[in-house]
Structures are given as C-alpha cells and as structure tokens.
C-alpha cells in the first residue's frame, strides 16, 4: 500500500508539472503575440478609396478621347450616369465662359483691353497647368480663353465703333488672336473632358464604397 501510494503521488506530481508547463507556455505565447491591427473606420476607408480613384490629368495624357471612352483611371465600362454627370459638368464649365453683353456707351477700346487681360490670364493658367499639373489651372485656362473668344467673335462686333476706320487694325489683330486661342482651346478640351469624367467617376466610386462599408 505504501508503494502504491508513492506511485500515485509521483504520477500526480508529474501530471501537475506537465500541464502547468503547458498552460504556462500557452499563457506566455498569448502575452507576446502581436495584437491584431485595428481596422480602419468606415469614413477613413471610404476616404482612402476616394483618394485612390481620383487621378490628376497631366499634359502628357491630355490627348484622350471623349467622355464615354472610359479612358479615365483605366476604366473600360463607364456607367451611363457617370457619363451624363461628366457631360453636365463640362457644360457647366462652358457656361462659365459666357460674358455679359457689351454696353454701347463704353468705348470699344475698353473691351479690347478686357479681352487682352482675359487672354493673358488664360495663357498664365495654361502655363501653370503644364508646369504643376493642377486641374484647377486647366479649367481656369479654358474658361478665360473662352471668355476672350466670346468677346471678340460675339460681343465686340455688336459695338457701334466696331467698323470704324480707326479701329480696323485692332479688329484684324484681335480676330487673329481669337483664331489662335480657339486652337488652344481645342487642344485643352480633351483634357478638360477627361478631368470631368475622372472627377465624376471618383465621386461615383466613393458613393459605392460608402454603400458597401
């Protein structure tokens, strides 16, 4: 009986040591284990998606096709609502190129001065866009150029002094400048359209990301 009692005691001690070591190791394993990374909040995740989708339009990629060609962000299938939104956005930009009707009591030379100033601002914003790749400069360049052309081709011809002999030289010079500006606008138009599509597509994907969060 004494031997059996000793064997039983030894077995219990070994059993206790074995499982004590096991759970001790398990405890330390859990303690040193790297905690899981905290997930992004819904607003942060959505913001990241929006930033990834919105790509700036550089002068090197300005010669892209129409809004529906899906060139922006490598998209191949652009939803119809995005195409419509980008079309509306481009129309809104063109509307900003409208000018106020001339006032006939204001001297014609004053409107030629305004046109010159608009042309300079358009050229400055175009140069800034090509240098810094800022879409805001691209849009402003297009708008200022459009205003200059609107004055020369649509509004200034309505002025009473337009056909005066002493204004013939100005008429010739500014009509030539308007033709040059129109050529620049045609070069910028694909980039402006692509910017509209890229912006609307980014907004569309951002809204989708909010739905799926």
């Amino acid at each position: 009986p004494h031997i059996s009692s000793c064997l039983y005691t030894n077995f219990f001690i070994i059993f206790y040591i074995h499982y004590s070591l096991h759970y001790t190791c398990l405890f330390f394993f859990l303690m040193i284990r790297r905690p899981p990374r905290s997930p992004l909040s819904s607003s942060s995740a959505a913001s990241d998606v929006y930033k990834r989708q919105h790509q700036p339009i550089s002068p090197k990629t300005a010669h892209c096709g129409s809004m529906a060609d899906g060139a922006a962000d490598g998209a191949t299938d652009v939803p119809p609502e995005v195409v419509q939104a980008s079309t509306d956005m481009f129309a809104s930009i063109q509307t900003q190129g409208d000018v106020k009707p001339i006032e006939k009591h204001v001297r014609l030379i004053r409107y030629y001065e305004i046109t010159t100033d608009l042309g300079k601002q358009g050229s400055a914003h175009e140069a800034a866009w090509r240098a810094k790749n800022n879409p805001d400069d691209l849009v402003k360049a297009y708008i200022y150029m459009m205003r200059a052309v609107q004055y020369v081709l649509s509004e200034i011809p309505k002025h009473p002094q337009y056909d005066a002999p002493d204004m013939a030289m100005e008429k010739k010079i500014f009509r030539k400048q308007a033709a040059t500006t129109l050529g620049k606008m045609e070069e910028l138009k694909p980039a402006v359209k692509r910017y509209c599509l890229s912006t609307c597509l980014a907004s569309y994907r951002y809204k989708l990301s909010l739905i799926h969060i």
Side-chain angles (χ1 to χ4, degrees):
H2 178 71
I3 295 175
S4 300
S5 176
C6 290
L7 290 175
Y8 178 79
T9 302
N10 291 336
F11 174 77
F12 178 78
I13 293 173
I14 294 172
F15 178 83
Y16 176 78
I17 293 173
H18 172 75
Y19 278 92
S20 295
L21 289 173
H22 174 76
Y23 284 107
T24 301
C25 292
L26 180 61
F27 173 77
F28 280 105
F29 172 76
L30 293 174
M31 288 292 291
I32 66 174
R33 210 177 140 199
R34 182 181 178 182
R37 296 176 62 185
S38 58
L40 291 172
S41 64
S42 59
S43 59
S44 178
S47 177
D48 287 346
V49 171
Y50 182 84
K51 291 177 182 177
R52 286 197 304 269
Q53 302 304 339
H54 187 76
Q55 299 293 331
I57 310 304
S58 66
K60 295 181 179 179
T61 59
H63 302 288
C64 296
S66 64
M67 294 179 186
D69 66 358
D73 293 333
T76 56
D77 297 317
V78 181
E81 56 267 40
V82 175
V83 176
Q84 184 59 52
S86 62
T87 302
D88 295 341
M89 183 177 178
F90 181 71
S92 176
I93 291 174
Q94 287 185 308
T95 301
Q96 295 179 57
D98 294 339
V99 296
K100 295 180 179 180
I102 63 168
E103 298 179 10
K104 295 182 179 181
H105 66 276
V106 178
R107 295 180 60 195
L108 179 58
I109 193 66
R110 175 58 185 151
Y111 286 107
Y112 280 132
E113 291 173 352
I114 293 173
T115 302
T116 300
D117 184 60
L118 290 172
K120 288 180 178 179
Q121 291 187 62
S123 297
H125 282 293
E126 180 191 7
W129 169 63
R130 296 188 182 280
K132 301 179 181 179
N133 189 24
N134 186 349
D136 290 339
D137 287 315
L138 168 65
V139 173
K140 288 179 181 178
Y142 191 80
I143 291 173
Y144 280 120
M145 289 180 183
M146 181 176 290
R147 290 176 181 174
V149 171
Q150 286 269 17
Y151 266 121
V152 175
L153 300 183
S154 299
E155 293 302 321
I156 287 179
K158 301 175 184 178
H159 198 281
Q161 295 179 313
Y162 181 68
D163 292 322
D166 60 337
M167 301 300 295
M169 182 62 68
E170 283 79 1
K171 182 201 302 189
K172 182 178 180 180
I173 292 174
F174 278 88
R175 289 188 70 87
K176 184 177 181 180
Q177 289 179 353
T180 302
T181 303
L182 279 173
K184 291 182 178 181
M185 289 176 61
E186 287 302 310
E187 292 179 2
L188 296 180
K189 184 185 290 186
V192 176
K193 287 186 174 182
R194 189 167 185 267
Y195 164 70
C196 294
L197 179 59
S198 177
T199 301
C200 294
L201 189 59
S203 177
Y204 174 80
R205 290 173 175 171
Y206 175 68
K207 291 176 181 178
L208 285 182
S209 69
L210 294 178
I211 294 174
H212 295 296
I213 289 176

